[in-house]
């Protein structure tokens, strides 16, 4: 390891002040923000280490006696970070210090809510959605300047975006960097801001976005469209657009996973004799065959007429529960026929079902495919 005094370029008799000055001078030349080469980074490290040792009286004494070649943080400082901050200021933000800030920033993400019918979800759908957003200013193309003009270098900070300030600290007077108040740290000023966007490089506008909604989406699901959000300040990259889906309840069909559920009312006579019928599914007619003797709570399963799964891309089933409807008003002749029927079929007395929850759970279980 090189001699600490040699590294700092001072004599063995150098005063604390001379050591401090020598370090500051070298650090400003070698700091990674100023001099991003690997060689400079190595030198900066050894210069900083040398300073740490020699600026601490106890460590310097031991070093002079040949007893100390210790590492960082052995003395009064907490390590590299403290020395670093003492010279460059915590506010400088580490590696960003020294470079002016860019006007171009990423735009905000945007969120739109989209209402869908259950039928839209079966196969997916396409929608055109109008959103209120920020778009690139076409007058200045994001430069923020009136056409024909350019940003000017800030003469307060000389274009660096930072100003240096002397502050008193542990190490005496040290220099810290702060964003330049005159140019807000941009290093440039815009003498003639674009009038169309007030120098923002973007304007608010309504924009129509085409959305492909995949099949199988559910209420609350958010679709992400990268790069479809707001354009950033000064024409910075777009944020993302999020589309939150809300699926409206359907008057006839409900949904369980990718299956569709419905209830079919069947007259008492159709239940006894059986019938064929056709219902309006969400994607066209569905033929149903109701067998003779069907019971309330029986479920007809029609395969692959449900919703196309969001991930599986496979269609669920349509399950139709039967509800037998008993006529409430019958005329004399009908009543006579039913009485005759009752006698002929020797209908059993009403009795408790052996299924403890009877119909209450039957429909539920059958809908669940149990
Ligand atoms: Zn503009
Ligand atoms: Zn400035």
């Amino acid at each position: 390891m090189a001699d600490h005094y040699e590294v700092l370029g001072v004599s063995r008799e150098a005063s604390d002040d001379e050591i401090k000055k020598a370090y500051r001078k070298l650090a400003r030349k070698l700091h990674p923000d100023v001099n991003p080469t690997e060689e400079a980074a190595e030198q900066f490290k050894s210069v900083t280490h040398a300073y740490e040792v020699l600026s601490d009286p106890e460590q310097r004494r031991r070093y002079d006696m040949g007893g100390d070649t210790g590492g960082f943080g052995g003395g009064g400082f907490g390590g590299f970070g403290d020395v670093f901050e003492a010279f460059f200021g915590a506010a400088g933000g580490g590696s960003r210090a020294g470079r002016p800030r860019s006007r171009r920033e990423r735009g905000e993400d945007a969120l739109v809510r989209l209402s869908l019918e259950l039928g839209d979800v079966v196969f997916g759908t396409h929608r055109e959605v109008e959103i209120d957003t920020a778009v690139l200013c076409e007058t200045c193309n994001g430069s923020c300047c009136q056409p024909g003009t350019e940003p000017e270098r800030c003469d307060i900070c000389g274009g660096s975006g930072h100003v240096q300030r002397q502050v008193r600290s542990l190490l005496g007077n040290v220099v810290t960097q702060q964003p330049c108040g005159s140019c807000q740290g941009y290093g440039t000023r815009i003498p003639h801001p674009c009038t169309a966007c007030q120098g923002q490089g973007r304007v608010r506008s309504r924009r129509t976005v085409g959305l492909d909604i995949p099949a199988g989406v559910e209420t609350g699901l958010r679709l992400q469209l990268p790069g479809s959000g707001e354009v950033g300040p000064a024409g910075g990259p777009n944020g993302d657009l999020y589309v939150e889906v809300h699926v409206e309840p359907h008057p006839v069909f409900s949904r369980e996973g990718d299956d569709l559920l419905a209830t079919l009312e069947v007259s008492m006579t159709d239940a006894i004799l059986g019938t064929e019928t056709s219902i309006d599914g969400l994607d066209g007619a569905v033929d149903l065959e109701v067998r003779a003797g069907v019971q309330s709570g029986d479920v007809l399963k029609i395969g692959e007429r449900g919703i196309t799964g969001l991930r599986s891309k496979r269609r669920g089933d349509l399950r139709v529960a039967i509800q037998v409807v008993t006529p409430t008003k019958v005329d004399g002749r009908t009543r006579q026929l039913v009485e005759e029927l009752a006698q002929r079929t020797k209908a059993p007395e009403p009795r408790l079902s052996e299924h403890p929850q009877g119909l209450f759970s039957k429909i539920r279980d059958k809908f669940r495919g149990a």
Side-chain angles (χ1 to χ4, degrees):
M1 183 175 270
D3 180 75
H4 289 342
Y5 291 99
E6 274 174 32
V7 165
L8 289 175
V10 294
S11 74
R12 295 204 151 257
E13 289 73 41
S15 68
D16 288 352
D17 225 24
E18 283 167 348
I19 288 170
K20 208 181 291 171
K21 267 188 200 144
Y23 173 57
R24 257 185 242 154
K25 205 172 136 199
L26 287 167
R28 260 182 239 127
K29 199 172 73 185
L30 298 170
H31 187 270
D33 282 335
V34 184
N35 195 339
T37 65
E38 212 158 303
E39 198 192 352
E42 277 308 309
Q43 281 183 44
F44 183 66
K45 258 193 231 168
S46 44
V47 160
T48 300
H49 177 56
Y51 175 70
E52 276 213 300
V53 173
L54 299 185
S55 63
D56 181 72
E58 176 56 22
Q59 281 196 72
R60 185 177 178 183
R61 195 182 58 79
R62 275 190 282 153
Y63 181 74
D64 286 346
M65 286 166 19
D68 178 50
T69 49
F72 292 131
F77 294 119
F80 186 79
D82 279 3
V83 175
F84 180 90
E85 280 185 16
F87 276 80
F88 298 96
S95 66
R96 291 187 66 174
R99 236 171 285 147
R101 165 181 165 209
S102 171
R103 283 193 168 80
R104 276 171 61 91
E105 282 172 39
R106 183 181 182 273
E108 296 279 312
D109 293 337
L111 175 69
V112 293
R113 293 191 167 81
L114 184 66
S115 202
L116 297 174
E117 305 282 324
L118 190 57
D120 297 329
V121 172
V122 175
F123 297 114
T125 187
H126 182 86
R127 285 293 169 86
E128 301 283 325
V129 183
E130 223 189 30
I131 55 170
D132 185 21
T133 186
V135 298
L136 190 71
C137 172
E138 287 178 359
T139 305
C140 66
N141 229 345
S143 76
C144 309
C145 301
Q146 195 62 8
T149 70
E150 282 190 349
E152 277 176 2
R153 201 173 73 148
C154 172
D155 43 20
I156 302 296
C157 62
S160 71
H162 291 86
V163 284
Q164 299 193 337
R165 204 159 65 89
Q166 288 240 339
V167 288
R168 288 194 162 277
S169 82
L170 190 68
L171 297 168
N173 285 339
V174 295
V175 175
T176 65
Q177 276 198 2
Q178 291 186 328
C180 170
S182 179
C183 63
Q184 283 91 49
Y186 294 125
T188 55
R189 267 184 302 199
I190 294 178
H192 307 289
C194 169
T195 50
C197 62
Q198 278 84 46
Q200 298 300 303
R202 56 178 186 168
V203 288
R204 290 219 75 81
S205 171
R206 294 194 75 79
R207 189 161 64 96
T208 303
V209 182
L211 301 174
D212 285 316
I213 310 293
V217 295
E218 281 181 85
T219 290
L221 188 101
R222 280 189 181 184
L223 304 166
Q224 185 187 13
L225 284 87
S228 291
E230 295 194 342
V231 73
N238 286 59
D240 298 338
L241 174 65
Y242 289 88
V243 180
E244 189 176 290
V245 170
H246 178 84
V247 184
E248 298 290 340
H250 191 275
V252 169
F253 294 100
S254 63
R255 175 176 180 178
E256 190 179 275
D258 294 330
D259 288 350
L260 286 172
L261 313 181
T263 300
L264 184 68
E265 295 182 350
V266 176
S267 73
M268 188 186 72
T269 48
D270 279 347
I272 294 168
L273 301 172
T275 186
E276 281 174 12
T277 187
S278 175
I279 62 167
D280 290 329
L282 289 174
D283 61 328
V286 181
D287 294 329
L288 293 178
E289 199 183 317
V290 179
R291 68 176 173 86
V294 77
Q295 303 288 324
S296 275
D298 283 355
V299 173
L300 309 178
K301 187 172 108 173
I302 303 94
E304 298 181 359
R305 291 301 293 271
I307 291 167
T308 310
L310 182 62
R311 284 171 196 86
S312 69
K313 306 290 171 205
R314 240 201 70 246
R315 283 193 79 177
D317 300 328
L318 169 62
R319 283 182 277 151
V320 180
I322 302 296
Q323 186 185 348
V324 178
V325 178
T326 310
T328 49
K329 278 182 187 154
V330 289
D331 59 21
R333 172 69 183 137
T334 308
R335 191 176 171 85
Q336 218 178 355
L337 285 170
V338 175
E339 278 169 356
E340 207 176 302
L341 173 72
Q343 276 165 15
R344 287 185 66 88
T345 57
K346 296 191 184 65
E349 293 284 306
R351 64 185 170 86
L352 287 172
S353 165
E354 281 168 20
H355 196 300
Q357 284 184 301
L359 260 186
F360 296 112
S361 62
K362 188 176 176 185
I363 291 184
R364 199 179 58 220
D365 290 350
K366 290 221 175 173
F367 261 149
R368 288 182 199 288

